[in-house]
Amino acid sequence: MATLNVKFSSDVEAALDRLGAAMGEATLRAAGFAGADVIRDEVVQRAPVRTGRLKSDVLVKRLEEKSDGNARQTYLITVRAGRRKYTNNRRNRQKNRTGQSYAVTAAFYWRFIEFGTSKAAARPFMRPAFDATRQTARDAITTKLRDKLREFKQAAR
C-alpha cells in the first residue's frame, strides 16, 4: 500500500476552500434546476392540449430526501397533484368560495395519457421529452456550473 502526503501552501489551501464554497450546495441546486427546466419546458411543449390545464400543471420539484448537500441534487419533473385554492376574484366572492380548495383534475388524467389504459393506447409525452433533451439538459448544467466558476474567479481577483 502506498501513501502520498501533499502539503499545499496557505494560498493554495485558501483558494481550494473558496472553490469548495463557490461550488457548494447553492451552486449545485442552481445547476440542477437549470437542467430540469430544460426538460420541463420540453414536457410542456409535448403535453397534449385538451383544456390547457395539463401544460400549466407541469412542475419541477427538488427531492430533499434523495439530495445530499454538496454531493448530489435530485429533481422530479411531474404534474401538480392535490388541491388548489380558489382565487380571490369577483365570481368566487359572490359564490362565497374564496379560501376554499378544489380538486385538481390534471394530475388525475395525465397518467392515463402517458401510460395508457386497458382501452386506450399510451401516448407518452414525458419520457420522450426526457430522451430528446437529455444532452441539452447536461449542457445547461455545465453552462451554469461554468458561469458560477467564472463568478468565483472574478470575485477572487
Side-chain angles (χ1 to χ4, degrees), residues 82-108:
R83 304 182 70 79
R84 283 190 178 173
K85 290 193 181 266
Y86 284 102
T87 58
N88 186 9
N89 60 25
R90 192 175 118 211
R91 181 177 181 194
N92 290 332
R93 283 193 301 271
Q94 287 174 345
K95 295 187 176 193
N96 292 324
R97 59 186 183 192
T98 55
Q100 297 176 4
S101 59
Y102 61 94
V104 176
T105 58
F108 176 73

Side-chain angles (χ1 to χ4, degrees), residues 54-118:
L54 180 59
K55 287 181 180 266
S56 67
D57 282 347
V58 175
L59 61 96
V60 174
K61 181 178 180 182
R62 180 177 164 271
L63 299 178
E64 289 188 38
E65 63 275 1
K66 291 191 177 186
S67 297
D68 184 21
N70 295 342
R72 173 188 27 216
Q73 296 294 318
T74 307
Y75 295 87
L76 174 69
I77 297 155
T78 187
V79 178
R80 181 175 285 117
R83 304 182 70 79
R84 283 190 178 173
K85 290 193 181 266
Y86 284 102
T87 58
N88 186 9
N89 60 25
R90 192 175 118 211
R91 181 177 181 194
N92 290 332
R93 283 193 301 271
Q94 287 174 345
K95 295 187 176 193
N96 292 324
R97 59 186 183 192
T98 55
Q100 297 176 4
S101 59
Y102 61 94
V104 176
T105 58
F108 176 73
Y109 74 84
W110 79 269
R111 293 173 186 88
F112 304 138
I113 297 169
E114 179 74 15
F115 302 112
T117 65
S118 62

Side-chain angles (χ1 to χ4, degrees), residues 116-154:
T117 65
S118 62
K119 297 183 181 188
R123 293 182 289 144
F125 61 96
M126 292 187 92
R127 184 61 193 206
F130 172 74
D131 292 338
T133 58
R134 184 181 299 175
Q135 187 58 44
T136 310
R138 282 185 192 147
D139 294 343
I141 291 169
T142 305
T143 302
K144 185 59 116 176
L145 289 173
R146 191 175 292 128
D147 292 345
K148 292 288 185 179
L149 189 57
R150 279 192 194 117
E151 289 175 18
F152 164 72
K153 285 181 179 178
Q154 289 175 356

